Amino acid sequence: MYLPSFNLEGKRAFVTGAGRGIGRAIAIGLAEAGCVVGLMSRTRSDLEETAAIIQSLNKGGSIVLPGDLTKRTEMEGAIAEFVSQAGGIDILVNNAGMNIRTPALEVTDDEWELIVQTNLKSAFVASQAAARYMKEQKEGRIINIASVGGHTALRTGVVYGSTKAALIHMTKVLAMEWAQYGIQVNAVGPWYFRTPLTEKLLSDEAYLKDILDRTPMKRVGKLEEVVGPVVFLASDAANYMTGQTLLVDGGMSIYGF
Ligand SMILES: NC(=O)C1=CN([C@@H]2O[C@H](COP(=O)(O)OP(=O)(O)OC[C@H]3O[C@@H](n4cnc5c(N)ncnc54)[C@H](O)[C@@H]3O)[C@@H](O)[C@H]2O)C=CC1
Ligand SMILES: C[C@H](O)[C@@H]1OC(=O)[C@H](O)[C@@H]1O
């Protein structure tokens, strides 16, 4: 009848930044849904911790693939190794990202390069690499982890916000270009979730109050609340969605007055 399947049994998913935070949560959630998950970040010990949690689930599986995704050879190499071991790639989650919170007048070239390489170019390189396999498979799902910061102006940095806005637009253009190959490209745009990236900010009571004052649901997100939209976009339930960005933000983006 009409209820689509959210089951991802046997699907092969690759997650960048899977060593901690949102990426670890997404990797575990995809494994719980039945995926074999390629785990990439720079720190092998972080990835092995994620892999151990997935092993304890007795669902899905994982392949640890340490590397620096700002280096094309390492990004392409990790995806090629995953495909070699898993037999293909059905889902790519471009999650890895970073921020250096500098006032616009003080941003250095090095800061610009690092944030753009990490948040935007690595996602493009990974998408190129994955799409070459997905095109042969005649199907694939690419899910980019953007930010509310790509949808509206945040005080946490012009470079970060620019990369997330660009990621949202890259999602649309790749969705349009790769639909002919059966590849769907969507994005998720979170507001604040407590992770190593935001822990310091969220520990500042005044800053947290500012966040909650702008958030109709009056709380930051729980990691499982960003995993659900990712699993949805990876599943049959999203078979007719492409080029879209789902904002997971407690209502922040619609806060008026
Ligand atoms: N935590 C939050 O409140 C929000 C996070 N986001 C986005 O969600 C994504 C994940 O964020 P968090 O989990 O909070 O960050 P995090 O800093 O806790 O984790 C980021 C992960 O990416 C990996 N990574 C960073 N640079 C890398 C590189 N060059 N090579 C390989 N791996 C690299 C890190 O090792 C880490 O595993 C990012 O794209 C971030 O912009 C978006 C909105 C809000
Ligand atoms: C919600 C934003 O993305 C938030 O802003 C930051 O500075 C952190 O990097 C979070 O990602």
Side-chain angles (χ1 to χ4, degrees), residues 26-135:
I26 289 171
I28 295 167
L30 289 169
E32 287 177 285
C35 290
V36 173
V37 189
L39 309 171
M40 184 182 188
S41 82
R42 284 161 300 187
T43 314
R44 176 180 285 278
S45 57
D46 287 350
L47 298 177
E48 286 172 349
E49 273 181 37
T50 305
I53 295 167
I54 289 173
Q55 189 172 17
S56 70
L57 300 172
N58 291 320
K59 283 184 188 174
S62 67
I63 300 169
V64 169
L65 298 155
D68 182 347
L69 46 72
T70 62
K71 296 182 171 61
R72 177 181 280 271
T73 52
E74 295 189 26
M75 186 71 255
E76 291 177 339
I79 286 182
E81 179 58 27
F82 177 70
V83 168
S84 164
Q85 291 192 38
I89 179 168
D90 304 297
I91 301 158
L92 168 67
V93 181
N94 287 309
N95 161 78
M98 59 88 69
N99 195 8
I100 303 169
R101 302 176 186 93
T102 306
L105 288 174
E106 297 164 27
V107 171
T108 67
D109 285 352
D110 287 350
E111 289 174 338
W112 175 276
E113 279 307 313
L114 181 57
I115 300 168
V116 170
Q117 288 284 342
T118 307
N119 295 6
L120 183 60
K121 186 170 181 202
S122 71
F124 179 66
V125 170
S127 299
Q128 273 185 319
R132 290 187 182 108
Y133 296 105
M134 292 173 172
K135 180 181 176 185

Side-chain angles (χ1 to χ4, degrees), residues 99 101 147 149 154 156 160 190-192 197-198 201:
N99 195 8
R101 302 176 186 93
S147 165
L154 299 186
T156 54
Y160 176 88
W191 183 216
Y192 275 100
L197 177 70
T198 57
L201 285 177

